[in-house]
Amino acid sequence: MNFNITVLDGDGIGPEICSGAIKVLNAVGKKYAHSFNFTHKLIGGCAIDACGVPLPEDTVKACLASDSVLLGAVGGYKWDNLPVDIRPEKGLLGIRKAMGLYSNIRPAKLWKSLASASPLKYEIVKGGVEIIIVRELTGGIYFGERGKGIDGNNGEYAWDTEKYSVKEIQRITKIACDIAAKRTKKIISVDKANVLESSRLWRKTVHAYAEKYYPEITVEDMLVDNAAMQIVKNPAQFDVVVTSNIFGDILSDEAAQVTGSIGMLASSSLGDGTRGLYEPIHGSAPDIAGKDVANPIATILAAAMMLRDSFNLADEYTAIENAVASVLDSGYRTADIMQDNCKKIKGSEMAELIAQLI
Ligand code: IPM
Ligand code: MG
């Protein structure tokens, strides 16, 4: 089959990690007789430099015309002081919104051979960890009304709003239930219903929806502060977690670190169709950009998720996952996951080894 993929390399380590993922996709193409056509477009800081905006119209058009999108990372010190509307992050938020990608799946899995890279004690992680975070991606405080001003008595002020509609909560609940139906049949819904009105609606809606359409699924609620604690206390209790945009952003970094390194975690962003955007959950790491030390595995796994979730190529997904596991089992490590008695290799070498094993 033939697939057209838009690649948004972005900034910092973005181009290096995308090139690693492309190498692996090409190996998959060769083995399974698919052809992947890659079109590179600008997003983030590099787009600001070239066109003055973080998300050029031409990039949006290309993404909407392709079968799926692979993204590296955006941002860097260079663009940190720009006005909010032309910051690199605006490009990322903009493309998620423009493509209607309300559902962000972030699976945090502890790889067997990386158990000792987890900052948690071995007793806590020895049973394995696999937390599928289902993060709402186009609503909440990220996209709510905001403003700033100056008030005569108190000086400068600023505000953002967390707002969710029943429809937005229902559609993300459906995604979480569909995933849970194939797994432990349990979802943990994370909110702050003891304080926030939006969370009380969230909780009520998740329960009503799941009870009506997925009676076989158990919904447990957890307050976000407790969830942050439970993830490090007993990560094995989590399977599918459904939560809002901002809570999902925060908890997914925490869950990623529990599994050893944020350099290992991929994510898919989907809407109602099959066209998605696949990216590592980590950022552009400008401090290590261009040194070929960045771990490409998260982006390679993101490419694997694209094959499975957008192109329905489950065997190809598994081939990549197995290749990653076997390179790790052989003791090869990039700097971020380096352990005793392992061989430290560069980012490009990691991608090459994985590609060879496909
Ligand atoms: C993420 C990132 C983004 C987010 C930033 C870069 C806007 O942290 O994908 O988790 O907050 O969604
Ligand atoms: Mg984040």
Side-chain angles (χ1 to χ4, degrees), residues 96 106 135 142 248-250 252-253 262 281-283:
R96 289 171 178 168
R106 302 187 155 191
R135 168 188 177 194
Y142 272 59
D249 177 47
I250 298 166
S252 59
D253 272 29
I262 195 166
I281 80 148
H282 61 69

Side-chain angles (χ1 to χ4, degrees), residues 106-143:
R106 302 187 155 191
K109 159 176 161 168
L110 184 77
W111 297 74
K112 222 174 59 243
S113 46
L114 289 185
S116 68
S118 171
L120 299 185
K121 287 191 200 109
Y122 183 67
E123 299 97 85
I124 298 180
V125 296
K126 70 173 182 231
V129 179
E130 191 168 356
I131 308 177
I132 315 277
I133 296 181
V134 180
R135 168 188 177 194
E136 198 292 324
L137 200 61
T138 50
I141 201 162
Y142 272 59
F143 293 93

Side-chain angles (χ1 to χ4, degrees), residues 18-295:
C18 282
S19 114
I22 289 172
K23 207 180 276 177
V24 174
L25 282 173
N26 282 331
V28 168
K30 210 159 163 197
K31 164 131 189 225
Y32 293 88
H34 302 303
S35 104
F36 300 112
N37 310 312
F38 301 102
T39 310
H40 295 259
K41 293 288 173 185
L42 298 173
I43 193 167
C46 57
I48 297 172
D49 288 350
C51 331
V53 289
L55 184 62
E57 201 39 53
D58 163 62
T59 297
V60 177
K61 262 200 207 133
C63 291
L64 291 173
S66 59
D67 295 315
S68 225
V69 180
L70 181 72
L71 182 136
V74 298
Y77 315 125
K78 184 175 170 193
W79 307 282
D80 272 353
N81 296 316
L82 289 173
V84 61
D85 273 341
I86 49 169
R87 284 180 56 98
E89 292 76 8
K90 203 73 186 176
L92 181 54
L93 300 178
I95 193 66
R96 289 171 178 168
K97 196 73 169 180
M99 293 175 68
L101 309 173
Y102 58 83
S103 145
N104 181 218
I105 317 273
R106 302 187 155 191
K109 159 176 161 168
L110 184 77
W111 297 74
K112 222 174 59 243
S113 46
L114 289 185
S116 68
S118 171
L120 299 185
K121 287 191 200 109
Y122 183 67
E123 299 97 85
I124 298 180
V125 296
K126 70 173 182 231
V129 179
E130 191 168 356
I131 308 177
I132 315 277
I133 296 181
V134 180
R135 168 188 177 194
E136 198 292 324
L137 200 61
T138 50
I141 201 162
Y142 272 59
F143 293 93
E145 264 184 69
R146 68 193 58 186
K148 55 185 179 176
I150 295 176
D151 137 355
N153 298 326
N154 300 309
E156 203 176 352
Y157 67 90
W159 51 277
D160 300 271
T161 35
E162 172 85 346
K163 181 173 172 186
Y164 270 111
S165 67
V166 166
K167 190 178 152 231
E168 287 173 311
I169 303 166
Q170 284 176 336
R171 65 186 185 182
I172 196 70
T173 304
K174 176 176 191 312
I175 304 280
C177 288
D178 283 337
I179 297 173
K182 294 189 212 127
R183 300 174 55 92
T184 57
K185 301 200 168 26
K186 178 183 147 187
I187 62 178
I188 294 184
S189 169
V190 173
D191 62 38
K192 187 71 187 171
N194 54 347
V195 178
L196 304 177
E197 206 56 66
S198 52
S199 279
R200 285 190 277 273
L201 182 68
W202 179 279
R203 191 175 278 209
K204 186 174 93 179
T205 307
V206 170
H207 280 273
Y209 189 86
E211 264 158 43
K212 180 158 178 204
Y213 298 104
Y214 296 85
E216 75 280 17
I217 289 190
T218 315
V219 180
E220 192 184 301
D221 303 300
M222 201 178 274
L223 295 171
V224 65
D225 46 353
N226 185 31
M229 179 177 77
Q230 295 296 334
I231 286 175
V232 289
K233 192 173 169 200
N234 177 15
Q237 72 186 289
F238 294 93
D239 185 45
V240 178
V241 170
V242 64
T243 191
S244 64
N245 205 342
I246 191 162
F247 294 160
D249 177 47
I250 298 166
L251 295 180
S252 59
D253 272 29
E254 188 192 13
Q257 189 57 57
V258 162
T259 68
S261 168
I262 195 166
M264 297 293 299
L265 217 81
S267 89
S268 74
S269 304
L270 284 153
D272 287 326
T274 57
R275 183 188 306 114
L277 180 141
Y278 296 81
E279 52 172 320
I281 80 148
H282 61 69
S284 59
D287 50 324
I288 57 164
K291 298 186 179 148
D292 198 12
V293 296
N295 184 353

